[in-house]
Amino acid sequence: MGLAQTQHRFLVRQKVTPMANRYLVHTAGADGQEGELVAFAHQKRLAFKEEVTFYTDESRRQVLFTFKARQVIDLGATYDVHGASGTRLGSFRKNFGASLLRSTWHLSPEGAEEESTGQERSEGLALLRRAWEFLPYTDLLPFIVPYHFDFTESGRSVMSVEKLFGLRDRYVLDIADPELDRRLAIAQAVALDALQSR
Protein backbone atom coordinates (compact mmCIF):
# COMPACT_ATOMS: atom_id res chain seq x y z
CA MET A 1 0.00 0.00 0.00
CA GLY A 2 3.08 2.24 -0.05
CA LEU A 3 2.45 3.39 -3.62
CA ALA A 4 -1.20 4.12 -2.88
CA GLN A 5 -0.25 6.52 -0.03
CA THR A 6 1.02 8.97 -2.65
CA GLN A 7 -2.29 8.85 -4.54
CA HIS A 8 -5.00 11.44 -4.00
CA ARG A 9 -7.83 9.97 -6.07
CA PHE A 10 -9.25 6.45 -6.14
CA LEU A 11 -12.16 4.80 -7.93
CA VAL A 12 -14.31 2.35 -5.96
CA ARG A 13 -16.62 -0.05 -7.79
CA GLN A 14 -19.00 -2.56 -6.23
CA LYS A 15 -19.37 -6.12 -7.52
CA VAL A 16 -22.53 -7.79 -6.27
CA THR A 17 -22.49 -11.56 -5.79
CA PRO A 18 -25.14 -13.78 -4.11
CA MET A 19 -23.26 -14.35 -0.84
CA ALA A 20 -21.04 -11.28 -0.52
CA ASN A 21 -20.51 -7.66 -1.45
CA ARG A 22 -17.20 -7.03 -3.16
CA TYR A 23 -15.45 -3.80 -4.02
CA LEU A 24 -12.60 -3.08 -6.41
CA VAL A 25 -10.44 -0.06 -5.55
CA HIS A 26 -8.25 1.39 -8.30
CA THR A 27 -6.09 4.45 -8.58
CA ALA A 28 -7.61 7.00 -10.94
CA GLY A 29 -5.71 7.50 -14.18
CA ALA A 30 -5.06 10.93 -15.68
CA ASP A 31 -7.96 10.25 -18.06
CA GLY A 32 -10.31 9.50 -15.15
CA GLN A 33 -10.36 5.78 -15.92
CA GLU A 34 -9.41 2.94 -13.58
CA GLY A 35 -5.67 2.62 -13.09
CA GLU A 36 -3.83 0.15 -10.88
CA LEU A 37 -5.86 -2.15 -8.62
CA VAL A 38 -4.78 -1.30 -5.06
CA ALA A 39 -7.38 -3.20 -3.00
CA PHE A 40 -10.14 -5.77 -3.26
CA ALA A 41 -12.75 -5.75 -0.47
CA HIS A 42 -14.91 -8.68 0.57
CA GLN A 43 -17.94 -8.36 2.88
CA LYS A 44 -19.93 -11.42 3.89
CA ARG A 45 -23.65 -10.81 4.06
CA LEU A 46 -25.79 -11.48 7.13
CA ALA A 47 -22.86 -11.50 9.55
CA PHE A 48 -23.65 -10.84 13.23
CA LYS A 49 -20.66 -8.52 13.53
CA GLU A 50 -19.98 -6.50 10.39
CA GLU A 51 -16.51 -7.03 8.97
CA VAL A 52 -14.89 -6.17 5.65
CA THR A 53 -11.48 -7.55 4.63
CA PHE A 54 -9.35 -5.79 2.02
CA TYR A 55 -6.89 -7.84 -0.05
CA THR A 56 -4.20 -6.99 -2.59
CA ASP A 57 -6.30 -8.54 -5.38
CA GLU A 58 -9.26 -10.82 -6.16
CA SER A 59 -7.28 -13.98 -5.34
CA ARG A 60 -7.74 -13.00 -1.65
CA ARG A 61 -4.36 -14.47 -0.71
CA GLN A 62 -2.81 -11.40 0.92
CA VAL A 63 -4.69 -9.21 3.43
CA LEU A 64 -4.05 -5.46 3.31
CA PHE A 65 -6.33 -4.25 6.09
CA THR A 66 -9.74 -4.84 7.67
CA PHE A 67 -12.53 -2.99 9.40
CA LYS A 68 -14.76 -4.61 11.98
CA ALA A 69 -17.61 -3.50 14.24
CA ARG A 70 -16.87 -3.41 17.94
CA GLN A 71 -20.42 -4.52 18.75
CA VAL A 72 -22.87 -7.01 17.29
CA ILE A 73 -25.30 -5.25 14.90
CA ASP A 74 -25.67 -1.77 16.38
CA LEU A 75 -27.03 1.33 14.64
CA GLY A 76 -24.32 3.51 16.20
CA ALA A 77 -21.49 0.98 16.07
CA THR A 78 -17.86 2.02 15.92
CA TYR A 79 -15.72 0.24 13.33
CA ASP A 80 -12.02 -0.27 13.96
CA VAL A 81 -9.59 -0.36 11.03
CA HIS A 82 -6.47 -2.53 11.37
CA GLY A 83 -3.52 -3.10 9.05
CA ALA A 84 -2.46 -6.57 7.94
CA SER A 85 -0.14 -6.91 10.96
CA GLY A 86 -2.92 -5.95 13.37
CA THR A 87 -1.79 -2.35 13.86
CA ARG A 88 -4.76 -0.10 14.54
CA LEU A 89 -5.10 2.60 11.86
CA GLY A 90 -8.13 4.38 13.29
CA SER A 91 -11.88 4.07 13.43
CA PHE A 92 -15.11 5.44 12.06
CA ARG A 93 -18.71 5.53 13.21
CA LYS A 94 -22.08 6.63 11.96
CA ASN A 95 -23.88 9.32 13.91
CA PHE A 96 -27.30 7.67 13.98
CA GLY A 97 -29.25 10.68 15.30
CA ALA A 98 -27.83 13.16 12.78
CA SER A 99 -28.19 10.56 10.02
CA LEU A 100 -31.97 10.46 10.29
CA LEU A 101 -32.06 13.54 8.05
CA ARG A 102 -28.60 13.55 6.50
CA SER A 103 -26.05 10.73 6.74
CA THR A 104 -23.23 11.75 9.05
CA TRP A 105 -20.02 9.84 9.85
CA HIS A 106 -17.05 10.51 12.12
CA LEU A 107 -13.56 9.41 11.05
CA SER A 108 -10.74 9.18 13.63
CA PRO A 109 -7.16 8.40 12.53
CA GLU A 110 -5.12 6.62 15.19
CA GLY A 111 -3.31 9.11 17.41
CA ALA A 112 -5.17 12.14 16.02
CA GLU A 113 -6.45 14.72 18.50
CA GLU A 114 -9.54 15.53 16.43
CA GLU A 115 -11.88 13.52 14.27
CA SER A 116 -13.26 14.60 10.92
CA THR A 117 -16.98 14.68 10.22
CA GLY A 118 -18.41 13.51 6.91
CA GLN A 119 -21.87 14.53 5.83
CA GLU A 120 -23.99 14.38 2.70
CA ARG A 121 -23.45 17.63 0.83
CA SER A 122 -27.08 18.12 -0.25
CA GLU A 123 -29.79 17.97 2.40
CA GLY A 124 -32.49 17.84 -0.30
CA LEU A 125 -30.87 14.87 -2.00
CA ALA A 126 -30.41 13.17 1.37
CA LEU A 127 -34.15 13.45 2.04
CA LEU A 128 -34.91 12.15 -1.46
CA ARG A 129 -32.71 9.10 -0.82
CA ARG A 130 -34.58 8.38 2.41
CA ALA A 131 -37.94 8.63 0.65
CA TRP A 132 -36.63 6.27 -2.06
CA GLU A 133 -35.78 3.62 0.55
CA PHE A 134 -39.40 3.53 1.75
CA LEU A 135 -40.83 2.87 -1.71
CA PRO A 136 -41.72 -0.76 -2.50
CA TYR A 137 -39.31 -2.84 -4.64
CA THR A 138 -36.54 -0.21 -4.61
CA ASP A 139 -34.14 -2.80 -3.21
CA LEU A 140 -34.15 -4.22 -6.75
CA LEU A 141 -33.45 -0.84 -8.36
CA PRO A 142 -30.57 1.24 -6.98
CA PHE A 143 -30.73 4.98 -6.37
CA ILE A 144 -28.99 6.24 -9.51
CA VAL A 145 -28.71 9.96 -8.74
CA PRO A 146 -25.17 11.07 -7.76
CA TYR A 147 -24.57 12.21 -4.19
CA HIS A 148 -21.54 13.44 -2.27
CA PHE A 149 -20.00 13.16 1.19
CA ASP A 150 -17.59 15.83 2.41
CA PHE A 151 -15.30 15.10 5.37
CA THR A 152 -13.93 18.13 7.19
CA GLU A 153 -11.99 18.82 10.36
CA SER A 154 -12.19 22.30 11.91
CA GLY A 155 -13.36 23.68 8.56
CA ARG A 156 -10.49 22.03 6.66
CA SER A 157 -11.25 19.56 3.87
CA VAL A 158 -9.99 16.03 4.62
CA MET A 159 -11.60 13.91 1.89
CA SER A 160 -14.72 13.58 -0.22
CA VAL A 161 -16.62 10.67 -1.73
CA GLU A 162 -18.82 11.12 -4.80
CA LYS A 163 -21.27 8.49 -6.02
CA LEU A 164 -21.32 8.52 -9.80
CA PHE A 165 -24.47 8.49 -11.90
CA GLY A 166 -25.54 5.00 -13.01
CA LEU A 167 -27.11 1.69 -12.08
CA ARG A 168 -23.87 0.28 -10.64
CA ASP A 169 -22.44 1.61 -7.36
CA ARG A 170 -19.30 3.50 -8.36
CA TYR A 171 -17.53 6.17 -6.33
CA VAL A 172 -14.69 8.66 -6.63
CA LEU A 173 -12.63 9.11 -3.45
CA ASP A 174 -10.66 12.37 -3.34
CA ILE A 175 -8.21 12.85 -0.49
CA ALA A 176 -7.22 16.41 0.43
CA ASP A 177 -5.21 15.62 3.58
CA PRO A 178 -1.78 14.25 2.55
CA GLU A 179 -1.29 12.74 6.03
CA LEU A 180 -4.50 10.71 6.02
CA ASP A 181 -3.72 6.98 5.81
CA ARG A 182 -5.11 5.84 2.47
CA ARG A 183 -6.21 2.53 4.00
CA LEU A 184 -8.40 4.37 6.51
CA ALA A 185 -9.84 6.61 3.79
CA ILE A 186 -10.59 3.63 1.52
CA ALA A 187 -12.21 1.74 4.42
CA GLN A 188 -14.50 4.71 5.13
CA ALA A 189 -15.38 5.11 1.44
CA VAL A 190 -16.39 1.44 1.14
CA ALA A 191 -18.34 1.71 4.41
CA LEU A 192 -20.42 4.53 2.95
CA ASP A 193 -21.84 1.94 0.56
CA ALA A 194 -21.58 -1.30 2.53
CA LEU A 195 -23.03 0.09 5.77
CA GLN A 196 -25.22 2.91 4.49
CA SER A 197 -28.49 1.23 5.46
CA ARG A 198 -27.29 0.53 9.04
Side-chain angles (χ1 to χ4, degrees):
M1 200 71 180
L3 171 67
Q5 186 62 31
T6 65
Q7 300 293 320
H8 299 284
R9 174 171 282 187
F10 298 89
L11 303 176
V12 180
R13 174 167 48 92
Q14 184 185 29
K15 281 179 71 173
V16 179
T17 62
M19 297 305 293
N21 289 329
R22 296 175 176 177
Y23 298 87
L24 295 163
V25 183
H26 292 84
T27 58
D31 58 358
Q33 298 300 309
E34 292 180 350
E36 177 188 359
L37 177 69
V38 293
F40 172 74
H42 180 82
Q43 176 200 27
K44 291 181 182 176
R45 291 191 184 152
L46 305 175
F48 284 109
K49 191 180 274 193
E50 290 289 355
E51 181 176 5
V52 176
T53 303
F54 293 78
Y55 301 90
T56 54
D57 56 40
E58 291 188 69
S59 70
R60 293 163 51 192
R61 285 194 293 264
Q62 185 177 346
V63 174
L64 279 173
F65 57 98
T66 63
F67 73 72
K68 187 174 185 177
R70 289 183 188 169
Q71 307 92 347
V72 173
I73 303 175
D74 178 1
L75 295 174
T78 296
Y79 298 84
D80 292 308
V81 184
H82 290 91
S85 64
T87 304
R88 189 172 183 276
L89 306 175
S91 64
F92 57 83
R93 62 185 171 83
K94 189 172 186 180
N95 184 326
F96 181 70
S99 293
L100 292 174
L101 292 178
R102 199 167 170 186
S103 288
T104 303
W105 292 78
H106 300 288
L107 179 66
S108 302
E110 185 68 11
E113 293 182 13
E114 293 187 51
E115 63 182 14
S116 60
T117 299
Q119 193 170 56
E120 285 181 90
R121 188 179 298 168
S122 167
E123 187 172 349
L125 197 53
L127 293 172
L128 181 62
R129 281 203 318 115
R130 273 142 195 76
W132 177 264
E133 291 170 5
F134 284 106
L135 295 174
Y137 310 112
T138 55
D139 54 335
L140 302 175
L141 184 63
F143 188 78
I144 63 172
V145 179
Y147 55 88
H148 309 77
F149 280 86
D150 296 308
F151 285 77
T152 59
E153 178 191 313
S154 303
R156 176 180 63 90
S157 177
V158 174
M159 63 180 248
S160 66
V161 180
E162 175 187 357
K163 183 181 187 297
L164 300 176
F165 181 84
L167 292 174
R168 292 188 310 163
D169 286 341
R170 297 179 303 130
Y171 302 87
V172 176
L173 166 61
D174 277 308
I175 301 173
D177 181 354
E179 300 302 316
L180 180 63
D181 192 305
R182 293 339 188 220
R183 295 167 294 180
L184 185 59
I186 289 169
Q188 175 69 86
V190 167
L192 291 178
D193 185 276
L195 307 176
Q196 187 57 37
S197 61
R198 302 294 183 274

